Amino acid sequence: MTQDLAGKVAWVTGAGSGIGEAAALALAGAGARVVLTGRREEPLRALAARIAESGAEAVVEPGDVTDAARIGAIVEGIAARFGRLDVLVSNAGSNVRERRWDALSPDGAQEVIQANLSSAFYASLAVLPLMRGQGDGVLIHTASWAGRFVSPVSGPAYTAAKHAVVAMSHSINMEECVNGIRSTVLCPAEVATPILDKRPVPVTPEDRARMLQPDDMAALILFVATRPKHVCLNEVVISPTWNRGYVPDARLGSRLGA
């Protein structure tokens, strides 16, 4: 049993590339009207055009998701235009190349924490009143494997921020379940997205091909979004079968820890 997305409204942050782009296409393909947010307007316009060509509706709302005022304005616009919001895909995130304790700067830490935690927090705060009024809504947050398991790969700022996103999502369920609202946090291991370009050690095309792909995450997001109202998937931990964190290869381990 699934929930029909025809006529529903979904808002995707970080929609300009990677998981967000793939999720927007999947949700639109399932009948949802999709609102696209990201810092770069050009890729959002291109994505909206692709969605429109498929016969679905997409609205572009560019903005910095670390700006609480801009997030609030986007949600006000969604409420005015559609009168509802059924699905939030809080997917924005970033990292810095200088991520180890001996290289991380206060500005770098702030950038990472704002991009990964503050963005999800502000989006949640903005959409919850609208969803409470409906007595329905699904929040889907892209955290990370680093939100559950500590390793040197992602760096302390990213790891701390993603752990906080996991806690945030569970706390939403504790308070909002009585209002018909469900929150799901996704903890994927490596996904072949542009964020890999900021790794201190380059990731080879061969390794990227073995990782989770954006379409894999989009399929999972669509699955979560279409569960019946009485079902809450609190947390999903997902990895590629060939998990670089598990492979007993000293050379590989050195590369991961760089």
Side-chain angles (χ1 to χ4, degrees), residues 195-217:
I195 196 173
L196 294 178
D197 296 336
K198 292 189 176 181
R199 285 279 179 89
V201 176
V203 181
T204 67
E206 293 78 14
D207 281 349
R208 291 184 191 228
R210 287 171 156 174
M211 293 176 181
L212 294 170
Q213 302 300 311
D215 284 346
D216 300 323
M217 294 302 298

Side-chain angles (χ1 to χ4, degrees), residues 13 23 103 108-109 113-114 117 158 166 169 181-182 198-199 233 240:
T13 71
I113 292 168
Q114 286 184 333
L117 175 59
Y158 186 90
V166 172
S169 182
I181 296 170
R182 294 90 70 207
K198 292 189 176 181
R199 285 279 179 89
L233 293 169

Side-chain angles (χ1 to χ4, degrees), residues 43-57:
L44 297 179
R45 295 288 178 194
L47 177 57
R50 290 173 62 192
I51 291 172
E53 288 173 1
S54 71
E57 181 179 358

Side-chain angles (χ1 to χ4, degrees), residues 32-147:
R33 297 170 288 177
V34 182
V35 180
L36 310 172
T37 294
R39 287 176 297 177
R40 299 173 299 134
E41 186 170 351
E42 185 175 345
L44 297 179
R45 295 288 178 194
L47 177 57
R50 290 173 62 192
I51 291 172
E53 288 173 1
S54 71
E57 181 179 358
V59 175
V60 172
E61 286 285 358
D64 181 354
V65 290
T66 69
D67 182 344
R70 176 59 185 147
I71 288 295
I74 291 172
V75 175
E76 287 179 5
I78 292 171
R81 183 179 187 121
F82 298 111
R84 63 183 304 109
L85 177 61
D86 302 281
V87 181
L88 165 67
V89 180
S90 183
N91 175 70
S94 185
N95 207 341
V96 291
R97 186 169 281 106
E98 299 79 15
R99 60 185 65 174
R100 295 171 57 94
W101 279 113
D102 59 5
L104 184 65
S105 68
D107 286 345
Q110 183 180 44
E111 177 185 338
V112 172
I113 292 168
Q114 286 184 333
N116 295 283
L117 175 59
S118 297
S119 63
F121 228 104
Y122 296 153
S124 299
L125 284 170
V127 305
L128 282 172
L130 185 55
M131 290 182 174
R132 285 190 203 109
Q134 299 167 177
D136 187 18
V138 183
L139 298 87
I140 305 171
H141 313 278
T142 303
S144 172
W145 190 267

Side-chain angles (χ1 to χ4, degrees), residues 5-29:
L5 293 185
K8 299 293 181 68
V9 179
W11 177 33
V12 182
T13 71
S17 64
I19 296 171
E21 177 184 10
L25 288 167
L27 292 165

